[in-house]
mmCIF file of all heavy atoms in Angstrom:
data_model
loop_
_atom_site.group_PDB
_atom_site.id
_atom_site.type_symbol
_atom_site.label_atom_id
_atom_site.label_comp_id
_atom_site.label_asym_id
_atom_site.label_seq_id
_atom_site.Cartn_x
_atom_site.Cartn_y
_atom_site.Cartn_z
ATOM 1 N N ILE A 395 -3.695 -2.307 4.052
ATOM 2 C CA ILE A 395 -2.606 -2.942 4.782
ATOM 3 C C ILE A 395 -3.027 -4.372 5.085
ATOM 4 O O ILE A 395 -3.939 -4.596 5.885
ATOM 5 C CB ILE A 395 -2.264 -2.172 6.071
ATOM 6 C CG1 ILE A 395 -1.808 -0.753 5.723
ATOM 7 C CG2 ILE A 395 -1.197 -2.917 6.865
ATOM 8 C CD1 ILE A 395 -1.598 0.148 6.920
ATOM 9 N N THR A 397 -0.409 -7.453 5.272
ATOM 10 C CA THR A 397 0.598 -8.047 6.157
ATOM 11 C C THR A 397 1.370 -7.009 6.952
ATOM 12 O O THR A 397 2.018 -7.346 7.932
ATOM 13 C CB THR A 397 1.603 -8.871 5.341
ATOM 14 O OG1 THR A 397 2.303 -7.988 4.451
ATOM 15 C CG2 THR A 397 0.904 -9.964 4.549
ATOM 16 N N GLY A 398 1.329 -5.769 6.507
ATOM 17 C CA GLY A 398 2.030 -4.686 7.196
ATOM 18 C C GLY A 398 3.461 -4.471 6.734
ATOM 19 O O GLY A 398 4.097 -3.497 7.133
ATOM 20 N N GLY A 399 3.988 -5.347 5.886
ATOM 21 C CA GLY A 399 5.383 -5.245 5.459
ATOM 22 C C GLY A 399 5.703 -3.974 4.695
ATOM 23 O O GLY A 399 6.737 -3.336 4.924
ATOM 24 N N THR A 400 4.834 -3.592 3.800
ATOM 25 C CA THR A 400 5.060 -2.387 3.006
ATOM 26 C C THR A 400 5.021 -1.148 3.893
ATOM 27 O O THR A 400 5.887 -0.270 3.783
ATOM 28 C CB THR A 400 4.000 -2.287 1.882
ATOM 29 O OG1 THR A 400 4.013 -3.498 1.122
ATOM 30 C CG2 THR A 400 4.267 -1.123 0.969
ATOM 31 N N MET A 401 4.041 -1.049 4.774
ATOM 32 C CA MET A 401 3.931 0.104 5.665
ATOM 33 C C MET A 401 5.113 0.174 6.615
ATOM 34 O O MET A 401 5.654 1.267 6.868
ATOM 35 C CB MET A 401 2.614 0.056 6.445
ATOM 36 C CG MET A 401 2.395 1.247 7.364
ATOM 37 S SD MET A 401 2.384 2.873 6.548
ATOM 38 C CE MET A 401 0.763 2.872 5.797
ATOM 39 N N ARG A 402 5.558 -0.949 7.147
ATOM 40 C CA ARG A 402 6.706 -0.933 8.062
ATOM 41 C C ARG A 402 7.956 -0.429 7.355
ATOM 42 O O ARG A 402 8.757 0.312 7.931
ATOM 43 C CB ARG A 402 6.938 -2.314 8.662
ATOM 44 C CG ARG A 402 5.959 -2.619 9.771
ATOM 45 C CD ARG A 402 6.190 -3.949 10.413
ATOM 46 N NE ARG A 402 7.239 -3.862 11.416
ATOM 47 C CZ ARG A 402 7.447 -4.783 12.339
ATOM 48 N NH1 ARG A 402 6.696 -5.860 12.392
ATOM 49 N NH2 ARG A 402 8.414 -4.641 13.213
ATOM 50 N N ALA A 403 8.133 -0.809 6.085
ATOM 51 C CA ALA A 403 9.289 -0.325 5.321
ATOM 52 C C ALA A 403 9.198 1.185 5.110
ATOM 53 O O ALA A 403 10.198 1.902 5.236
ATOM 54 C CB ALA A 403 9.373 -1.053 3.977
ATOM 55 N N ILE A 405 7.646 3.323 7.047
ATOM 56 C CA ILE A 405 7.919 3.932 8.356
ATOM 57 C C ILE A 405 9.426 4.017 8.590
ATOM 58 O O ILE A 405 9.950 5.051 9.026
ATOM 59 C CB ILE A 405 7.215 3.142 9.481
ATOM 60 C CG1 ILE A 405 5.702 3.351 9.403
ATOM 61 C CG2 ILE A 405 7.762 3.534 10.853
ATOM 62 C CD1 ILE A 405 4.895 2.423 10.291
ATOM 63 N N ILE A 418 -0.492 6.427 10.699
ATOM 64 C CA ILE A 418 -0.694 5.756 9.420
ATOM 65 C C ILE A 418 -2.190 5.713 9.122
ATOM 66 O O ILE A 418 -3.009 5.653 10.036
ATOM 67 C CB ILE A 418 -0.101 4.327 9.417
ATOM 68 C CG1 ILE A 418 -0.762 3.453 10.486
ATOM 69 C CG2 ILE A 418 1.411 4.381 9.622
ATOM 70 C CD1 ILE A 418 -0.373 1.987 10.435
ATOM 71 N N ILE A 423 -7.020 -1.843 7.492
ATOM 72 C CA ILE A 423 -5.856 -2.486 8.099
ATOM 73 C C ILE A 423 -6.341 -3.832 8.619
ATOM 74 O O ILE A 423 -7.174 -3.890 9.524
ATOM 75 C CB ILE A 423 -5.264 -1.659 9.254
ATOM 76 C CG1 ILE A 423 -4.889 -0.254 8.774
ATOM 77 C CG2 ILE A 423 -4.056 -2.380 9.847
ATOM 78 C CD1 ILE A 423 -4.446 0.690 9.877
ATOM 79 N N SER A 426 -3.821 -8.908 10.707
ATOM 80 C CA SER A 426 -2.751 -9.882 10.544
ATOM 81 C C SER A 426 -1.706 -9.598 11.626
ATOM 82 O O SER A 426 -1.821 -8.611 12.366
ATOM 83 C CB SER A 426 -2.112 -9.718 9.160
ATOM 84 O OG SER A 426 -1.586 -8.396 9.038
ATOM 85 N N GLU A 427 -0.677 -10.413 11.698
ATOM 86 C CA GLU A 427 0.376 -10.161 12.684
ATOM 87 C C GLU A 427 0.975 -8.769 12.474
ATOM 88 O O GLU A 427 1.136 -7.995 13.413
ATOM 89 C CB GLU A 427 1.461 -11.233 12.576
ATOM 90 C CG GLU A 427 2.580 -11.080 13.583
ATOM 91 C CD GLU A 427 3.640 -12.159 13.462
ATOM 92 O OE1 GLU A 427 3.360 -13.241 12.904
ATOM 93 O OE2 GLU A 427 4.763 -11.907 13.919
ATOM 94 N N GLY A 428 1.286 -8.442 11.223
ATOM 95 C CA GLY A 428 1.872 -7.132 10.924
ATOM 96 C C GLY A 428 0.894 -5.989 11.110
ATOM 97 O O GLY A 428 1.262 -4.919 11.602
ATOM 98 N N GLY A 429 -0.358 -6.189 10.710
ATOM 99 C CA GLY A 429 -1.372 -5.156 10.892
ATOM 100 C C GLY A 429 -1.609 -4.866 12.362
ATOM 101 O O GLY A 429 -1.737 -3.706 12.775
ATOM 102 N N THR A 430 -1.643 -5.911 13.172
ATOM 103 C CA THR A 430 -1.820 -5.750 14.614
ATOM 104 C C THR A 430 -0.633 -5.015 15.217
ATOM 105 O O THR A 430 -0.800 -4.121 16.058
ATOM 106 C CB THR A 430 -2.019 -7.125 15.288
ATOM 107 O OG1 THR A 430 -3.188 -7.744 14.719
ATOM 108 C CG2 THR A 430 -2.196 -6.998 16.787
ATOM 109 N N TRP A 431 0.586 -5.365 14.793
ATOM 110 C CA TRP A 431 1.783 -4.682 15.292
ATOM 111 C C TRP A 431 1.702 -3.188 14.988
ATOM 112 O O TRP A 431 2.006 -2.356 15.853
ATOM 113 C CB TRP A 431 3.036 -5.284 14.666
ATOM 114 C CG TRP A 431 4.296 -4.695 15.233
ATOM 115 C CD1 TRP A 431 5.002 -5.147 16.312
ATOM 116 C CD2 TRP A 431 4.980 -3.514 14.764
ATOM 117 N NE1 TRP A 431 6.080 -4.318 16.544
ATOM 118 C CE2 TRP A 431 6.088 -3.309 15.609
ATOM 119 C CE3 TRP A 431 4.760 -2.623 13.727
ATOM 120 C CZ2 TRP A 431 6.972 -2.254 15.436
ATOM 121 C CZ3 TRP A 431 5.643 -1.560 13.554
ATOM 122 C CH2 TRP A 431 6.737 -1.383 14.397
ATOM 123 N N LEU A 432 1.306 -2.831 13.772
ATOM 124 C CA LEU A 432 1.187 -1.417 13.407
ATOM 125 C C LEU A 432 0.167 -0.708 14.298
ATOM 126 O O LEU A 432 0.412 0.399 14.783
ATOM 127 C CB LEU A 432 0.791 -1.278 11.937
ATOM 128 C CG LEU A 432 1.878 -1.643 10.927
ATOM 129 C CD1 LEU A 432 1.285 -1.813 9.535
ATOM 130 C CD2 LEU A 432 2.993 -0.606 10.935
ATOM 131 N N LYS A 433 -0.984 -1.346 14.522
ATOM 132 C CA LYS A 433 -2.021 -0.746 15.356
ATOM 133 C C LYS A 433 -1.559 -0.551 16.801
ATOM 134 O O LYS A 433 -1.975 0.384 17.482
ATOM 135 C CB LYS A 433 -3.284 -1.608 15.342
ATOM 136 C CG LYS A 433 -4.048 -1.564 14.028
ATOM 137 C CD LYS A 433 -5.254 -2.492 14.099
ATOM 138 C CE LYS A 433 -6.102 -2.448 12.857
ATOM 139 N NZ LYS A 433 -7.278 -3.336 12.974
ATOM 140 N N GLU A 434 -0.710 -1.451 17.273
ATOM 141 C CA GLU A 434 -0.225 -1.372 18.651
ATOM 142 C C GLU A 434 0.888 -0.339 18.821
ATOM 143 O O GLU A 434 1.125 0.136 19.926
ATOM 144 C CB GLU A 434 0.271 -2.750 19.115
ATOM 145 C CG GLU A 434 -0.846 -3.750 19.304
ATOM 146 C CD GLU A 434 -0.345 -5.169 19.563
ATOM 147 O OE1 GLU A 434 0.883 -5.432 19.420
ATOM 148 O OE2 GLU A 434 -1.188 -6.031 19.899
ATOM 149 N N ASN A 435 1.588 -0.010 17.742
ATOM 150 C CA ASN A 435 2.769 0.832 17.849
ATOM 151 C C ASN A 435 2.643 2.222 17.236
ATOM 152 O O ASN A 435 3.513 3.065 17.462
ATOM 153 C CB ASN A 435 3.978 0.107 17.240
ATOM 154 C CG ASN A 435 4.415 -1.049 18.110
ATOM 155 O OD1 ASN A 435 5.090 -0.857 19.102
ATOM 156 N ND2 ASN A 435 3.977 -2.246 17.761
ATOM 157 N N TYR A 436 1.587 2.456 16.462
ATOM 158 C CA TYR A 436 1.407 3.762 15.819
ATOM 159 C C TYR A 436 -0.056 4.186 15.904
ATOM 160 O O TYR A 436 -0.952 3.341 15.862
ATOM 161 C CB TYR A 436 1.843 3.716 14.344
ATOM 162 C CG TYR A 436 3.339 3.611 14.209
ATOM 163 C CD1 TYR A 436 3.961 2.364 14.185
ATOM 164 C CD2 TYR A 436 4.136 4.748 14.156
ATOM 165 C CE1 TYR A 436 5.338 2.256 14.110
ATOM 166 C CE2 TYR A 436 5.513 4.658 14.070
ATOM 167 C CZ TYR A 436 6.114 3.410 14.052
ATOM 168 O OH TYR A 436 7.470 3.304 13.988
ATOM 169 N N LYS A 437 -0.262 5.488 15.972
ATOM 170 C CA LYS A 437 -1.627 6.001 15.847
ATOM 171 C C LYS A 437 -2.073 5.632 14.435
ATOM 172 O O LYS A 437 -1.299 5.778 13.478
ATOM 173 C CB LYS A 437 -1.646 7.507 16.044
ATOM 174 C CG LYS A 437 -3.044 8.088 16.045
ATOM 175 C CD LYS A 437 -3.006 9.570 16.347
ATOM 176 C CE LYS A 437 -3.844 9.805 17.578
ATOM 177 N NZ LYS A 437 -3.950 11.228 17.898
ATOM 178 N N TYR A 438 -3.291 5.158 14.302
ATOM 179 C CA TYR A 438 -3.741 4.689 12.994
ATOM 180 C C TYR A 438 -5.186 5.091 12.739
ATOM 181 O O TYR A 438 -5.938 5.416 13.654
ATOM 182 C CB TYR A 438 -3.601 3.171 12.869
ATOM 183 C CG TYR A 438 -4.583 2.406 13.725
ATOM 184 C CD1 TYR A 438 -5.805 1.992 13.201
ATOM 185 C CD2 TYR A 438 -4.309 2.110 15.056
ATOM 186 C CE1 TYR A 438 -6.723 1.312 13.983
ATOM 187 C CE2 TYR A 438 -5.207 1.424 15.840
ATOM 188 C CZ TYR A 438 -6.414 1.029 15.300
ATOM 189 O OH TYR A 438 -7.328 0.360 16.068
#
Side-chain angles (χ1 to χ4, degrees):
I395 299 173
T397 63
T400 306
M401 182 59 76
R402 282 182 82 164
I405 290 169
I418 61 172
I423 303 173
S426 60
E427 182 180 339
T430 300
W431 185 90
L432 289 166
K433 288 178 177 181
E434 290 171 350
N435 289 280
Y436 289 89
K437 185 176 238 184
Y438 70 93

